[in-house]
Amino acid sequence: MIRIAPVGRALAVVAATSLALTACGGGGGDTATQASQSAAPASSAPAAKGDGTLTLGTLLPQTGSLAFLGPPEFAGVDLALKEINEAGGVLGKPVAKFDTDSGDTTTNIASQSVDKLLAQKADAIIGAASSSVSESVIDKITGAGVVHFSPANTSDKFTTIEDKGLYFRTSPPDKLQGRVLGDLIIADGNDTVGIMAMQDSYGTGLADQVQKTVTDGGGEVVERVDYDPKAADFSADVAKLKAKNPKGIVLIGFEETAKVVQELVKQGMPADKHKWYMVDGNTSNTNYVKMPKGTLTGVKGTIPGAAAPEEFQKKLTAVDPDLEDFSYAPESYDAANLIALAAEAAKSDAGVDIAAKLMEVSKGGTKCKSFKECVDLLKAGTDIDYDGVSGPVEFDEAGDPAVATIGIYQYGDDNKYAPKALEYRTGNIAG
């Protein structure tokens, strides 16, 4: 067991295999709304009274650099709400939902979407996918006494961010993903490594952890380029890597990674000569399919989350028949279920009351795996421990999952990664 010390707590990572770790526009929704009245501010967040109808808002990418993550995230929320409402809803009423677009950091779409959701009296907002986008709106959401719950934020900043006790996430901090990826790179025999990382809180934070892990594991990061993701051309950045000729190349970014990949090939650094590694922000089944076959053969990528069961995938495709990528669908599904269960446990749909019960419903009680199973136990007076599709989600005091899993995926000749990971590695986050 290796212990890493992030701010305020330690991270213990245990390999799931014998390889030891040494080192992850506003669409329409239901149209029901609720009336919410603000009371005097509480010590941590504004106090509010709900009207008995739980209203969820989604702030997920329909446009922008993470748009490929939108469909599975929306599908995860929609599937959860379908099952919740089929089981009788929350507090005896159907859950209402409004969908909006988070866009990305090049636009003001997220802020406008949050304004819309707050006007629609959302009790909890699920999103954004991008850590930087969430960081830009967290004050507006939590300042209104609304739960801010992301299924995909991985930036380490959120562990200590001022959130009035209202921010939660089902994806793990990047210290875990970075440690798993760095360990993988060393285990694959890469003693020299080049890193290209987008310059924002997500990219630089994850690159820092990968670099530390590679160095601690005996490797050398011979070149690191933190680039502007909005740049029109990456030839100079790739040239810096080429000059150092690293065995392994780590690509940390979003959709602009497709341009980086094309430049790597152009400058004679293809994946069959250097080992490429990607992360959750760019491990996609849509971004590279138009490239020549074999461009990404053998490339590995890490994505937080346990294996999505085949039955769960079938349910998701019933909700969205065009779904090709399942990234963060389990985390989105679990986010909606946990919010609903916390509202039931609190006997209130107010954001502050929901937040106060999220830790309680995620650990320490009788284990249950579906909303119906869990809510029946709650109604019988039983303390519950919801274990989700994304894994056992046990929140710590920071709103981070105390237990998380990182999957390691590999691309085939069709420039798509196999839906089944090569392996999964699980980490425990101790307070």
Side-chain angles (χ1 to χ4, degrees), residues 13 42 46 61 70-71 115 125 149 171 175 179 189 249 283 335 350 364:
V13 182
D115 288 340
I125 293 176
F149 199 134
S171 54
K175 283 190 178 292
R179 180 56 63 92
I249 297 175
T283 300

Side-chain angles (χ1 to χ4, degrees), residues 87-345:
V90 173
L91 304 173
K93 296 180 181 179
V95 176
K97 177 178 69 73
F98 297 96
D99 293 326
T100 67
D101 182 17
S102 64
D104 58 27
T105 54
T106 65
T107 68
N108 195 41
I109 291 174
S111 181
Q112 295 171 11
S113 293
V114 170
D115 288 340
K116 178 180 178 182
L117 293 174
L118 294 179
Q120 291 165 325
K121 308 300 181 185
D123 301 301
I125 293 176
I126 298 176
S130 162
S131 293
S132 294
V133 170
S134 284
E135 193 175 352
S136 73
V137 295
I138 187 171
D139 288 344
K140 182 178 287 190
I141 296 172
T142 60
V146 172
V147 170
H148 184 179
F149 199 134
S150 175
N153 289 166
T154 58
S155 171
D156 293 323
K157 281 190 175 182
F158 291 102
T159 297
T160 56
I161 201 166
E162 174 54 50
D163 62 3
K164 301 177 178 63
L166 293 173
Y167 177 86
F168 295 82
R169 55 180 167 180
T170 37
S171 54
D174 273 326
K175 283 190 178 292
L176 177 57
Q177 182 177 188
R179 180 56 63 92
V180 169
L181 181 55
D183 176 68
L184 173 66
I185 292 165
I186 292 298
D188 282 351
N190 300 292
D191 53 3
T192 58
V193 178
I195 298 175
M196 282 195 64
M198 64 185 295
Q199 196 165 23
D200 74 347
S201 61
Y202 165 76
T204 56
L206 185 47
D208 286 346
Q209 184 59 52
V210 172
Q211 183 168 354
K212 180 181 184 300
T213 301
V214 167
T215 302
D216 290 349
E220 180 184 3
V221 175
V222 294
E223 184 63 62
R224 171 172 165 178
V225 180
D226 289 15
Y227 64 84
D228 178 0
K230 298 185 290 293
D233 180 80
F234 298 99
S235 58
D237 297 321
V238 170
K240 292 178 182 178
L241 288 187
K242 183 178 181 179
K244 298 298 178 65
N245 195 34
K247 289 183 180 178
I249 297 175
V250 184
L251 305 176
I252 301 174
F254 293 156
E255 68 176 2
E256 81 287 347
T257 301
K259 294 181 180 179
V260 177
V261 163
Q262 291 170 332
E263 191 61 39
L264 284 168
V265 173
K266 182 179 179 181
Q267 295 197 27
M269 302 182 74
D272 61 355
K273 292 184 179 179
H274 302 262
K275 293 178 181 177
W276 295 356
Y277 298 87
M278 296 185 180
V279 292
D280 58 309
N282 54 16
T283 300
S284 164
N285 274 338
T286 59
N287 287 357
Y288 317 106
V289 290
K290 294 182 179 179
M291 294 181 180
K293 287 187 180 299
T295 300
L296 268 69
T297 300
V299 174
K300 295 178 182 178
T302 51
I303 302 176
E310 186 174 342
E311 181 182 356
F312 178 69
Q313 293 186 27
K314 288 180 179 178
K315 290 180 179 179
L316 288 171
T317 52
V319 170
D320 181 357
D322 296 326
L323 203 60
E324 295 183 358
D325 196 315
F326 298 97
S327 299
Y328 292 112
E331 287 80 3
S332 301
Y333 175 85
D334 288 344
N337 276 329
L338 283 160
I339 291 167
L341 291 169
E344 277 284 353

Side-chain angles (χ1 to χ4, degrees), residues 50-70:
D51 69 348
T53 297
L54 176 62
T55 300
L56 298 183
T58 62
L59 180 69
L60 298 169
Q62 297 174 352
T63 62
S65 57
L66 284 180
F68 76 94
L69 289 179

Side-chain angles (χ1 to χ4, degrees), residues 309-382:
E310 186 174 342
E311 181 182 356
F312 178 69
Q313 293 186 27
K314 288 180 179 178
K315 290 180 179 179
L316 288 171
T317 52
V319 170
D320 181 357
D322 296 326
L323 203 60
E324 295 183 358
D325 196 315
F326 298 97
S327 299
Y328 292 112
E331 287 80 3
S332 301
Y333 175 85
D334 288 344
N337 276 329
L338 283 160
I339 291 167
L341 291 169
E344 277 284 353
K347 295 182 171 55
S348 168
D349 59 289
V352 175
D353 296 335
I354 292 170
K357 290 292 185 178
L358 277 167
M359 283 184 63
E360 183 180 307
V361 300
S362 72
K363 61 182 180 181
T366 299
K367 290 189 178 296
C368 51
K369 294 186 176 181
S370 69
F371 174 80
K372 184 170 191 324
E373 180 187 4
C374 293
V375 80
D376 286 347
L377 289 170
L378 281 175
K379 289 178 178 178
T382 304

